[in-house]
């Protein structure tokens, strides 16, 4: 399991606007390309990119689209789940633990790894399509988040991480 | 009973409408409206995922992994999407999707009474599909 060699969450960083992409090849095991952290309400708490040659939309649109996609995908997976007999309706917003959730999806150009904490914090890591299972890396990032961000007395929940 | 390697199969036309749905053993009953809604939802999400790609040339979601199931999707060059909901880690699903695509071209597209983009009601397609799924199941159980 390779952890990405990118900036840690505690580094002094500019605000949530995309930081300039690190040139590919820097850092060992740099497999990660983009990282997003969202809270329950869709506020993007953190966005980091290390290797993103193509930007289709401006940052706010991009965040909204990403959040919307994940929201609908969760609803979709919980409805299409073949192992549970009773399912809610499609339009109803789901609580963090409710219903079967997906942990990754793959396309031909990227792989998106997803993790949702019980408090509704969503972590998204976009990597190369042939990367292995990243659930442990995401847990590790979540632990960093808890350690340094949540326990920071000066941090106001719901605002972008600085 | 027999282990269902595949739980269900959906075929979506290029505008996102469901044209074929077959259930092979999901736990909950899904009525027609639900399956239609899920199919259109998948169609839109497949399109959105192409927009979020960090590198150019994305053709949409191929595999979705969840805790209880996997979903494999195959999109033909014409935009018709075939996706199967299967057990986590079920092997050879891409192969199966390609075989189903071949059956689709042979028994649906070559059927002179079939209207494009309409729901599939071709007996031979159903028959051959059932045979392929059965063979697949036997192969998996035989291991």
């Amino acid at each position: 399991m390779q952890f990405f060699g990118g900036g840690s969450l505690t580094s002094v960083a500019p605000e949530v606007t995309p930081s300039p992409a690190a040139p590919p090849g820097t850092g060992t095991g740099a497999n990660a390309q983009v990282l997003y952290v969202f809270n329950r309400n869709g506020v993007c708490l953190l966005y980091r990119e290390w290797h993103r040659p193509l930007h289709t939309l401006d940052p706010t649109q991009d965040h909204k689209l990403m959040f919307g996609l994940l929201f609908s995908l969760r609803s979709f997976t919980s409805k299409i789940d073949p192992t549970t007999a009773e399912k809610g309706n499609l339009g109803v917003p789901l609580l963090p633990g409710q219903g079967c959730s997906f942990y990754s999806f793959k396309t031909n150009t990227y792989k998106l790894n997803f993790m949702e904490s019980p408090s509704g914090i969503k972590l998204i890591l976009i990597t190369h399509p042939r990367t292995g299972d990243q659930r442990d890396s995401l847990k590790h990032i979540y632990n960093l988040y808890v350690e340094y961000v949540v326990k920071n007395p000066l941090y106001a929940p719901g605002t972008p991480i600085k | 009973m027999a282990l269902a390697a595949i739980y269900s199969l959906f075929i979506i036309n290029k505008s996102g409408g469901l044209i074929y749905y077959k259930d092979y053993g999901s736990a909950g009953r899904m009525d027609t409206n639900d399956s239609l809604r899920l199919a259109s939802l998948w169609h839109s999400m497949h399109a959105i995922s192409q927009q979020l790609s960090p590198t150019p040339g994305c053709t949409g979601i191929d595999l979705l992994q969840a805790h209880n199931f996997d979903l494999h999707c195959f999109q033909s060059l014409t935009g018709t999407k075939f996706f199967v909901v299967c057990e986590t880690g079920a092997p050879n699903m891409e192969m199966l999707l390609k075989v189903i695509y071949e059956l689709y071209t042979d028994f649906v597209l070559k059927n002179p009474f079939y209207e494009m983009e309409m729901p599939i009601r071709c007996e031979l397609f159903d028959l051959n599909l059932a045979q392929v799924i059965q063979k697949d199941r036997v192969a998996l159980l035989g291991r």
Side-chain angles (χ1 to χ4, degrees):
Chain A
M1 202 77 40
Q2 285 190 329
F3 292 141
F4 57 95
S8 85
L9 292 176
T10 57
S11 56
V12 172
E15 358 186 2
V16 122
T17 50
S19 37
T26 53
T28 50
N31 219 345
Q33 298 175 344
V34 186
L35 170 74
Y36 296 79
V37 177
F38 288 103
N39 79 351
R40 270 184 109 120
N41 303 321
V43 175
C44 183
L45 303 176
L46 187 73
Y47 171 76
R48 284 280 179 278
E49 59 178 47
W50 291 276
H51 180 61
R52 189 175 186 173
L54 173 71
H55 290 80
T56 352
L57 303 158
D58 71 67
T60 30
Q61 295 285 57
D62 188 62
H63 298 332
K64 283 199 203 126
L65 198 61
M66 178 59 84
F67 186 77
L69 176 68
L70 294 169
F71 186 84
S72 325
L73 260 182
R74 276 204 62 228
S75 189
F76 176 82
T77 50
S78 112
K79 192 72 203 258
I80 210 174
D81 183 8
T83 57
T84 43
E86 79 107 87
K87 300 158 191 178
N89 291 317
L90 262 181
V92 176
L94 293 168
L95 301 170
Q98 199 180 15
C100 173
S101 180
F102 73 103
Y103 57 85
S104 100
F105 74 70
K106 185 170 85 69
T107 71
N108 61 327
T109 48
Y110 70 99
K111 182 173 189 186
L112 184 141
N113 303 282
F114 173 72
M115 182 190 127
E116 181 165 24
S117 80
S119 57
I121 300 294
K122 305 187 206 328
L123 290 141
I124 296 114
L125 190 63
I126 298 191
T127 59
H128 186 270
R130 272 199 282 277
T131 324
D133 190 5
Q134 295 291 310
R135 283 182 276 187
D136 290 336
S137 316
L138 287 170
K139 283 208 190 90
H140 179 78
I141 301 173
Y142 180 63
N143 288 334
L144 283 173
Y145 165 80
V146 165
E147 258 326 294
Y148 296 110
V149 179
V150 174
K151 294 183 183 174
N152 182 342
L154 301 174
Y155 172 70
T159 56
I161 300 169
K162 294 206 182 55
Chain B
M1 266 305 297
L3 263 177
I6 308 177
Y7 290 112
S8 49
L9 165 72
F10 292 72
I11 306 184
I12 315 182
N13 67 14
K14 61 163 102 63
S15 3
L18 182 68
I19 55 178
Y20 191 78
Y21 165 61
K22 196 84 205 296
D23 181 64
Y24 296 103
S26 313
R29 282 279 336 140
M30 189 153 44
D31 58 3
T32 351
N33 279 338
D34 284 340
S35 52
L36 282 164
R37 262 185 242 135
L38 283 175
S40 337
L41 195 53
W42 178 256
H43 176 82
S44 337
M45 292 187 301
H46 194 93
I48 295 177
S49 67
Q50 295 179 3
Q51 295 236 346
L52 290 167
S53 168
T55 38
C58 184
T59 54
I61 304 180
D62 293 329
L63 166 63
L64 176 86
Q65 291 172 301
H67 296 113
N68 297 341
F69 66 92
D70 280 353
L71 189 149
H72 293 255
C73 181
F74 169 70
Q75 181 172 336
S76 72
L77 290 165
T78 53
T80 314
K81 287 184 259 298
F82 299 79
F83 66 94
V84 276
V85 179
C86 57
E87 297 178 329
T88 49
N92 300 330
M93 283 297 144
E94 286 90 28
M95 211 54 244
L96 181 69
L97 282 170
K98 297 245 165 62
V99 169
I100 296 177
Y101 180 52
E102 257 190 72
L103 288 180
Y104 169 77
T105 53
D106 284 338
F107 295 109
V108 178
L109 296 180
K110 294 181 187 171
N111 182 337
F113 299 110
Y114 173 69
E115 290 175 56
M116 282 305 301
E117 319 295 346
M118 287 282 118
I120 296 175
R121 304 233 187 282
C122 310
E123 233 182 270
L124 282 175
F125 178 68
D126 287 325
L127 223 64
N128 283 274
L129 185 63
Q131 275 179 9
V132 166
I133 304 283
Q134 187 55 31
K135 211 166 45 173
D136 187 67
R137 199 171 288 179
V138 166
L140 269 145
L141 289 180
R143 204 180 296 157

